[in-house]
Amino acid sequence: QQEPVESGGGSVQAGGSLTLSCTVSRSTYTTSRNYMAWFRQAPGKEREGIGGIYTGSGATSYGDSVKGRFTISRDNAKNAIYLQMNSLNPEDTAMYYCAADRKFVSPWFFERDYDSWGQGTQVTVSS
């Protein structure tokens, strides 16, 4: 199983909301002390960090472009994290990726420090 596994992408109009999910298998991430994060990449642009969450404490960090609009949460019983996206605008259109690591990642936006990456889920925001 490719993991993490993202879901929940789709098309939405500007101003709308969408929630993405990311799950990992218990066989790989057997404790609640993992670090998981969301990144996105728009066509022709570099991958951008959205935010991360430490599944042990639930502590979160966010990139400046999404602060106040996006919220990351976790459900350790389901080995899942979520990305609640509000007030979406066309600039949020991108492929959204989930990354996971079995240890605390600092700083959270260091892509090379993550164990594994999902295949991504597309989010399209129309004006």
Side-chain angles (χ1 to χ4, degrees):
Q1 176 186 351
Q2 174 71 38
E3 59 179 336
V5 179
E6 306 97 336
S7 62
S11 298
V12 63
Q13 290 194 331
S17 299
L18 207 58
T19 300
L20 306 183
S21 301
C22 172
T23 58
V24 292
S25 70
R26 294 186 187 279
S27 62
T28 304
Y29 297 90
T30 57
T31 72
S32 61
R33 297 177 182 177
N34 307 307
Y35 206 89
M36 298 176 71
W38 290 98
F39 292 80
R40 67 184 180 185
Q41 188 167 21
K45 295 187 177 180
E46 292 188 355
R47 190 153 55 187
E48 172 191 20
I50 295 172
I53 185 166
Y54 181 54
T55 59
S57 65
T60 55
S61 297
Y62 295 95
D64 290 341
S65 65
V66 302
K67 278 182 181 177
R69 297 191 300 127
F70 291 10
T71 303
I72 298 174
S73 60
R74 97 285 197 201
D75 184 339
N76 288 341
K78 297 181 178 180
N79 268 29
I81 67 168
Y82 306 95
L83 178 65
Q84 172 68 43
M85 304 184 290
N86 299 324
S87 302
L88 286 163
N89 58 64
E91 289 69 40
D92 295 314
T93 295
M95 185 71 79
Y96 284 68
Y97 297 93
C98 179
D101 198 87
R102 282 162 285 188
K103 65 183 184 303
F104 191 87
V105 176
S106 180
W108 63 270
F109 48 84
F110 267 22
E111 298 179 27
R112 65 175 183 267
D113 285 348
Y114 288 91
D115 279 339
S116 59
W117 292 77
Q119 296 279 18
T121 186
Q122 177 69 36
V123 172
T124 302
V125 184
S126 58
S127 58

